[in-house]
Amino acid sequence: MPDTVFVLNGPNLNLLGTREPEIYGSATLDDIAGMLEDRARELGLEIDLRQSNHEGHLVDWLHEAQAVGAKAVLLNAGAFTHTSIALHDAIKAIRTPVIEVHLSNPHTREAFRHRSYVGMAAKATIAGFGPMSYLLALEGAHRL
Ligand code: DQA
């Protein structure tokens, strides 16, 4: 059984491709899933990619990642990054390593994006590389 990496995506990321393309680019979440699956195959990993606009789903999936023995979680929590103590606590509550991922670099954007409750609990953060952020995070997860 190959190791599984969970790739969890939060609110509005279902609209990638059409959502503010000047910031987030033109790739859809399906495009990103395809890129990740191709690379995961080469690395001998399996990807379980999910998206939800609901905070509690992300909390449940973090718990599930530990319960099923996932190797790591790549988490782009979208705007919940900047608001969610529940996600912060969930990351701390599990032993599965969580890598924070962002397409954009929140630190170069509005001040309200400068605080990351996810980043304060995550093992590492990769941001600002567009869809490649996910691939770089997968490389990191592979090397853990
Ligand atoms: C984002 C950055 C967040 O600030 C924003 O709320 C998002 C996307 C990113 O991937 O760049 O929804 O997580």
Side-chain angles (χ1 to χ4, degrees), residues 11-13 19 23-24 76-82 101-106 109 112-113 134:
N12 302 307
L13 293 167
R19 173 193 182 198
I23 297 174
Y24 298 116
N76 184 350
F80 292 145
T81 302
H82 317 297
V101 176
H102 298 287
L103 295 146
S104 67
N105 179 356
R109 300 179 61 197
F112 62 81
R113 296 184 204 278
Y134 286 83

Side-chain angles (χ1 to χ4, degrees), residues 12-84:
N12 302 307
L13 293 167
N14 53 313
L15 297 182
L16 279 183
T18 57
R19 173 193 182 198
E20 298 185 274
E22 64 287 357
I23 297 174
Y24 298 116
S26 56
T28 65
L29 199 54
D30 277 349
D31 295 336
I32 291 172
M35 287 168 35
L36 284 170
E37 270 154 20
D38 288 348
R39 184 62 184 139
R41 204 169 301 115
E42 291 168 2
L43 296 173
L45 295 170
E46 205 155 89
I47 295 295
D48 187 335
L49 185 142
R50 307 175 187 187
Q51 188 277 331
S52 176
N53 295 320
H54 304 275
E55 186 176 7
H57 289 163
L58 297 167
V59 171
D60 288 343
W61 292 340
L62 285 165
H63 297 177
E64 187 182 332
Q66 164 154 290
V68 303
K71 180 175 174 62
V73 177
L74 315 187
L75 174 61
N76 184 350
F80 292 145
T81 302
H82 317 297
T83 62
S84 178

